[in-house]
Amino acid sequence: MREKMKLLIHFPRHSALEPITYNLVKDYDVKINILKALVNDNVEGFLFIEADAERENLKKAVRYLKDIGLQVEKNGTSIFVDKDKCIHCGTCIAACNVGALTMDEEHHLVVRREKCIECALCVKVCPQRIIRDVFAVKQR
Amino acid sequence: MKTYEEINDKIKKGKAVVVNAKEILSIVEDNGIKKASDMVDVVTTATFGPMCSSGAFLNFGHATPPIRMETITLNGVEACGGLAAVDTYIGATQPSIDKGDEYGGAHVICDLIDGKKVTLKASGKGTDCYPRKEVNVAVTLSDMNEAYLYNPRNAYQNYSAATNSSSKRIFTYMGTLGENFSNVTYSTSGEMSPLLNDPYLRTIGLGTRIFLCGGVGYVVGCGTQFKTKTQRDPNGVPVCGSATLAVRGDMKQMSTDFIRPAVFERYGVSMFVGIGIPIPVLDEEMMEHLSVQNKDIHTYVEDYSIRDGRNARIKKVSYEELFSGTVELNGKLVRTSPLSSVSKAFQIADRLKGWIEKGEFTLTRPVEMFDMHSSVKPLGPVKEKK
């Protein structure tokens, strides 16, 4: 059975000089749709893809990426909330139209990463500037 | 009936019963008002929201030879001259000259509290007694003689919720408001909020000792735009912005766990201020007020796209509805979200509770109570340029 899934692949500084898209296609028969890609001025890379493959192959492909030292998030988003600095004010929630940001009963921010559509409006409105889109070229 | 002296006696002996404004609700529910007011001595309330009318008085000490500072910047943010030679007041919402709204007075205040070095640039014309004309020096909080937060208007007793009827998304100090009533924002800690638990300010007045941003502070007057002649529910709780407090506290005691700079998109700089106020359970009437719940507190949803003086009120809602995540507006369910951190308010109320339980913090009878017949005047007729 084929499966489709978004993968956010993070290349830490000076890592993985392998041609990974080539390897994913050739060794694991993954159809790749590149959504976004960036190498930032810290020489970290981010590759956001939609991967379509046989379920077994997809599993192996993710394992391969992790084995060569990359960080892989399944069905994630390029938007990151710095949870250590978050004060749970809720200002970002007003900007999120897809329900990826909500408050729980304890008045803590809940981030449902799989719901995010990367509109990045939350990045703009966070009063503490602690929400970051890794693909934003100009970081605050 | 209990007096301040009796309660303080218990606090000093470590025998005072202190609970936060949420915990009191189940105690009242289980025991009734009368028994609960005998059982509990102090209820701690708190709020942690963006409070624009905030700032700090600083004294830098004199250089050799000395300068009479007339224009002053701290990390590029303009502070007030006109306060003798080396005193200044920096307003939280003042944007920086070079970074604009991304860095402002609130950031300077919080950088100082964090112990960071801040660049002080000042100039003066030079006088016989103050011959120096310029300084450019790095300063830290510990270098200063006095540094105290002095906020002219904080802890609003209730505030309108916000929505937007226009066809465009707007960005306000009440956050992002989507077009065509697509969301509602509100700013309160509700049943935890200080002035909603003492609606007639029976225990809060000039001189009340409080928790301010991690340290001990004081109520130093009624806040500006203080309004006590106001529309109230039968339980006495105002249904719109009413009383406010001016507060003061030593920055050297503060922690950025309880005070944070804020930037609101296309609005500007503000500051999250953490305030905790202990309320003595003097009698049953006080306990009646302290037992207020989110369902008993109401506010109006206002249309923030109307700014020309027309009535912008749309609907009266309870905080229980607002906190639930959706509210009904024009027959549709509209999502709601906060701007004030209730989880921080709980942290503050519990920190203050701990201080009182350990006997480190006693209650103060106000030196002077505030005017209960106060109203707010607008700025009157302004000529429009054609």
Side-chain angles (χ1 to χ4, degrees):
Chain A
M1 202 173 71
R2 289 190 83 84
E3 197 179 355
K4 230 187 218 180
M5 142 186 323
K6 281 198 287 181
L7 295 176
L8 178 69
I9 305 165
H10 176 200
F11 299 71
R13 198 176 159 89
H14 304 311
S15 68
L17 298 169
E18 288 186 39
I20 70 138
T21 40
Y22 172 81
N23 290 350
L24 289 177
V25 174
K26 188 172 150 286
D27 297 345
Y28 304 98
D29 190 25
V30 183
K31 287 187 193 167
I32 293 177
N33 183 12
I34 297 178
L35 304 172
K36 287 177 184 175
L38 175 90
V39 177
N40 67 19
D41 53 12
N42 196 28
V43 210
E44 289 172 292
F46 294 92
L47 180 62
F48 201 23
I49 61 171
E50 193 176 60
D52 178 347
E54 284 296 325
R55 180 171 286 179
E56 257 325 285
N57 281 346
L58 203 51
K59 252 190 202 169
K60 284 182 193 159
V62 170
R63 195 174 312 135
Y64 154 70
L65 293 172
K66 287 182 177 168
D67 284 347
I68 60 169
L70 307 182
Q71 292 158 18
V72 185
E73 189 189 0
K74 293 180 196 167
N75 292 322
T77 161
S78 59
I79 310 283
F80 290 88
V81 179
D82 186 339
K83 290 246 169 97
D84 291 337
K85 290 184 184 149
C86 180
I87 53 171
H88 310 280
C89 64
T91 308
C92 57
I93 298 172
C96 183
N97 287 310
V98 294
L101 299 166
T102 53
M103 265 304 165
D104 69 11
E105 298 258 301
E106 305 290 306
H107 307 281
H108 288 118
L109 181 70
V110 180
V111 185
R112 291 193 179 83
R113 299 181 59 77
E114 71 285 359
K115 286 196 172 185
C116 177
I117 55 164
E118 291 95 28
C119 75
L121 196 52
C122 57
V123 174
K124 270 178 126 174
V125 306
C126 171
Q128 290 207 95
R129 305 308 195 209
I130 56 154
I131 305 181
R132 167 173 176 246
D133 180 354
V134 293
F135 290 112
V137 176
K138 189 183 153 214
Q139 299 290 344
R140 290 194 202 262
Chain B
M1 291 279 282
K2 271 177 258 181
T3 64
Y4 281 90
E5 291 72 22
E6 284 163 0
I7 293 172
N8 281 338
D9 233 30
K10 278 189 169 177
I11 293 173
K12 283 175 202 152
K13 287 178 186 150
K15 285 183 178 167
V17 178
V18 191
V19 299
N20 72 35
K22 176 90 183 167
E23 292 163 338
I24 194 63
L25 301 180
S26 54
I27 296 176
V28 168
E29 196 178 52
D30 295 346
N31 302 281
I33 293 282
K34 188 177 181 336
K35 207 168 156 203
S37 49
D38 291 335
M39 285 163 67
V40 178
D41 301 304
V42 182
V43 175
T44 57
T45 64
T47 182
F48 186 88
M51 304 191 199
C52 292
S53 184
S54 300
F57 281 106
L58 309 171
N59 177 286
F60 300 114
H62 285 286
T64 318
I67 177 172
R68 181 178 187 267
M69 297 180 185
E70 287 159 1
T71 62
I72 303 164
T73 63
L74 288 158
N75 280 356
V77 179
E78 214 177 309
C80 292
L83 285 170
V86 293
D87 284 327
T88 192
Y89 184 80
I90 182 160
T93 63
Q94 182 72 33
S96 96
I97 294 162
D98 50 343
K99 296 189 192 108
D101 283 338
E102 285 303 312
Y103 188 94
H107 298 83
V108 173
I109 289 167
C110 291
D111 279 350
L112 285 169
I113 292 170
D114 274 336
K116 290 184 189 160
K117 276 186 184 162
V118 165
T119 302
L120 163 67
K121 289 184 188 172
S123 63
K125 61 184 173 290
T127 68
D128 289 344
C129 44
Y130 293 108
R132 187 188 291 273
K133 289 182 179 167
E134 270 179 22
V135 288
N136 180 347
V137 61
V139 293
T140 64
L141 186 59
S142 59
D143 297 334
M144 294 180 196
N145 290 309
E146 290 79 18
Y148 58 90
L149 204 66
Y150 186 109
N151 302 345
R153 184 174 65 259
N154 278 180
Y156 244 114
Q157 185 180 31
N158 217 344
Y159 211 84
S160 301
T163 191
N164 166 26
S165 70
S166 78
S167 57
K168 271 190 191 150
R169 180 161 59 208
I170 57 174
F171 295 89
T172 71
Y173 65 83
M174 289 297 285
T176 312
L177 301 171
E179 67 281 5
N180 305 321
F181 302 105
S182 56
N183 69 317
V184 170
T185 60
Y186 59 94
S187 184
T188 187
S189 55
E191 61 201 16
M192 289 297 290
S193 180
L195 299 188
L196 294 175
N197 277 281
D198 186 2
Y200 295 106
L201 287 87
R202 275 186 74 207
T203 67
I204 302 169
L206 181 69
T208 299
R209 188 181 296 126
I210 61 171
F211 172 108
L212 186 59
C213 308
V216 172
Y218 291 89
V219 173
V220 290
C222 61
T224 52
Q225 293 173 26
F226 186 78
K227 186 168 96 181
T228 40
K229 236 163 61 181
T230 186
Q231 190 187 340
R232 293 174 192 268
D233 273 337
N235 59 8
V237 177
V239 293
C240 51
S242 297
T244 61
L245 299 177
V247 298
R248 180 201 143 134
D250 182 1
M251 276 169 63
K252 296 185 185 188
Q253 295 177 30
M254 292 180 183
S255 148
T256 50
D257 283 343
F258 303 107
I259 178 170
R260 289 284 174 92
V263 179
F264 286 98
E265 183 69 14
R266 292 191 227 173
Y267 167 75
V269 184
S270 184
M271 190 158 71
F272 285 98
V273 177
I275 296 178
I277 303 189
I279 297 181
V281 185
L282 297 175
D283 50 27
E284 288 173 37
E285 186 191 330
M286 212 56 237
M287 185 55 94
E288 197 80 59
H289 290 312
L290 289 163
S291 65
V292 76
Q293 301 179 39
N294 283 337
K295 68 179 169 64
D296 312 319
I297 309 168
H298 296 88
T299 191
Y300 284 93
V301 178
E302 281 188 13
D303 184 349
Y304 268 58
S305 67
I306 297 178
R307 303 313 273 172
D308 59 3
R310 277 179 296 145
N311 182 19
R313 280 185 177 181
I314 291 175
K315 193 186 177 187
K316 190 175 168 182
V317 292
S318 76
Y319 278 124
E320 187 178 44
E321 292 171 84
L322 289 170
F323 276 103
S324 78
T326 51
V327 70
E328 201 204 292
L329 222 55
N330 306 323
K332 272 200 314 198
L333 275 185
V334 175
R335 61 191 184 84
T336 62
S337 60
L339 297 161
S340 173
S341 174
V342 178
S343 63
K344 277 279 178 193
F346 274 107
Q347 269 183 40
I348 292 167
D350 288 339
R351 179 71 64 99
L352 177 58
K353 180 176 140 178
W355 289 354
I356 300 169
E357 283 171 340
K358 276 186 263 167
E360 294 166 358
F361 186 108
T362 55
L363 306 198
T364 36
R365 183 199 303 274
V367 176
E368 197 178 292
M369 304 317 292
F370 297 139
D371 178 9
M372 290 311 290
H373 303 281
S374 175
S375 51
V376 176
K377 293 188 274 286
L379 178 65
V382 182
K383 267 189 199 158
E384 303 296 341
K385 266 190 194 159
K386 284 276 156 69

